[in-house]
Amino acid sequence: MQTASSFPDRETVASKLASLSPEDKSWLALLMENAVQDENLLEGVHLYLDQQAGAPFLNSLKLEACGEWIGANAPARLQIRLAEIAKAGQHPAYLAFRKGLTKSAGLEKAYPKAPI
């Protein structure tokens, strides 16, 4: 039975989300392909949002862009958990991330509404 490795740790994931350079986007996309790493990725998202909530300057546009990018690129298995993370706090950092996640429509693409 496989167990999740401790690499990448949540600090590494949080730093990649904070910079979100083209190389970091590639790295994160590769990480999202591996279901074994889901917990590490989600813990990194939590840490990233907590760090941004505690930052002296809130860059809501960057948080929104991060939410939109991760929502558009995350596989269906992660969409609900990402939405839960975005709703976990009322701080403006969480709200900006949630706005981007909603804008990406990743959850709707993963779980389309049933026709009536």
Side-chain angles (χ1 to χ4, degrees):
M1 178 176 198
Q2 270 188 333
T3 58
S5 71
S6 61
F7 183 81
D9 58 16
R10 63 191 208 130
E11 288 81 12
T12 303
V13 174
S15 71
K16 300 285 186 186
L17 288 168
S19 65
L20 215 55
S21 69
E23 296 83 18
D24 294 333
K25 287 179 179 179
S26 296
W27 186 86
L28 289 163
L30 185 62
L31 182 66
M32 287 188 279
E33 289 178 13
N34 186 355
V36 173
Q37 296 293 339
D38 285 357
E39 290 306 314
N40 293 337
L41 175 74
L42 295 169
E43 286 180 23
V45 173
H46 267 292
L47 179 61
Y48 168 67
L49 290 172
D50 288 344
Q51 288 171 342
Q52 297 305 306
F57 175 75
L58 180 66
N59 189 339
S60 58
L61 292 175
K62 187 174 181 181
L63 283 157
E64 187 177 332
C66 179
E68 188 172 358
W69 180 85
I70 202 165
N73 291 284
R77 71 175 189 279
L78 293 173
Q79 292 294 337
I80 290 174
R81 300 208 37 211
L82 286 168
E84 289 171 350
I85 291 170
K87 292 178 182 176
Q90 290 301 313
H91 188 279
Y94 283 83
L95 298 176
F97 183 80
R98 184 179 334 150
K99 184 177 178 184
L101 202 59
T102 302
K103 190 187 279 187
S104 75
L107 189 59
E108 289 79 17
K109 291 175 194 165
Y111 301 99
K113 293 183 180 184
I116 298 176

